[in-house]
Amino acid sequence: MQDRNRKLEKIGIMGGTFDPIHNGHLVIAENAREQYALDQVLFIPTGHSPLKHKQQITSGSHRCAMVSMAIADNPQFVLDEIEVNSPEISYTFHTINKLKKNYISCELFFILGADSLFDFESWRNPDLILESCSILAAYRKHQRQEEFFRHIAYLNEKHPGKFHPLDTPNLEVSSQEIRQRVRHGQTIRYLVPKTVETYIQENKLYID
């Protein structure tokens, strides 16, 4: 486990269910690291999500194991089980507040997708999130691009300098699609790291 009090200038935060983690997640995280000179990117699997209480989610142990395998070859990517190990509902503002206390004197950047950017103001206590971190919003060229930048500008008018665009390759892959492909006996090769593909097969995940 890394020393969370070790001073790092910039910490990226990549939250998500990661059920399973896939190459799209890794591409976004690596682009954020490169474009904003992040020292580390934390991958934080969701514990008890307020948005997915009706959806059956794979156990935290399986999801954390897959994240650990997926990021093993990148020393700047770190698994953080702060939500999985907590009995509380995983509200982003609460997690960010805990991280701010753990990563003293560090600048935090929360990484999210374009869809989440448009929903951000409906999140629980968005102002508290912005008190502790800036937002890196990933977008793909030609995908609601004009609307995306208008919304970035709108949010920055209300919260100056808090929202930043993150340019990412157009990699169309989702965890839901991967689960469906496994369920239907279709290949997921090149959609997830090989170690994750093997783990899913060996543990017979997503077949029911």
Side-chain angles (χ1 to χ4, degrees), residues 156-193:
N156 275 327
E157 285 181 5
K158 299 178 69 174
H159 310 279
K162 282 293 187 177
F163 292 84
H164 308 277
L166 173 60
D167 187 8
T168 58
N170 189 12
L171 186 60
E172 295 293 341
V173 56
S174 71
S175 295
Q176 181 180 12
E177 177 188 1
I178 290 168
R179 295 194 301 270
Q180 289 176 345
R181 292 182 69 86
V182 172
R183 193 172 296 116
H184 296 148
Q186 297 174 300
T187 181
I188 57 171
R189 191 176 187 182
Y190 306 125
L191 297 177
V192 299

Side-chain angles (χ1 to χ4, degrees), residues 25-106:
H25 295 131
L26 300 174
V27 167
I28 289 174
E30 178 64 6
N31 276 262
R33 185 201 62 76
E34 180 182 58
Q35 290 175 38
Y36 288 92
L38 304 180
D39 294 281
Q40 284 187 351
V41 177
L42 307 180
F43 285 75
I44 303 181
T46 299
H48 304 281
S49 172
L51 300 178
K52 299 190 177 183
H53 61 282
K54 294 181 180 179
Q55 174 184 321
Q56 184 176 359
I57 298 175
T58 305
S59 71
S61 59
H62 279 315
R63 291 183 290 116
C64 285
M66 288 187 284
V67 169
S68 182
M69 292 174 181
I71 66 176
D73 64 348
N74 190 329
Q76 291 167 305
F77 287 177
V78 177
L79 169 65
D80 193 313
E81 301 180 32
I82 187 172
E83 290 193 0
V84 169
N85 290 335
S86 173
E88 302 169 329
I89 295 293
S90 301
Y91 289 111
T92 298
F93 82 92
H94 197 198
T95 298
I96 295 292
N97 185 54
K98 290 180 181 179
L99 291 173
K100 189 66 176 178
K101 295 176 181 177
N102 290 338
Y103 290 91
I104 300 170
S105 301
C106 293

Side-chain angles (χ1 to χ4, degrees), residues 98-127:
K98 290 180 181 179
L99 291 173
K100 189 66 176 178
K101 295 176 181 177
N102 290 338
Y103 290 91
I104 300 170
S105 301
C106 293
E107 190 176 1
L108 302 183
F109 295 83
F110 190 79
I111 303 165
L112 49 71
D115 290 342
S116 295
L117 175 74
F118 290 111
D119 295 336
F120 182 79
E121 291 184 298
S122 68
W123 289 13
R124 179 71 64 93
N125 295 329
D127 289 345

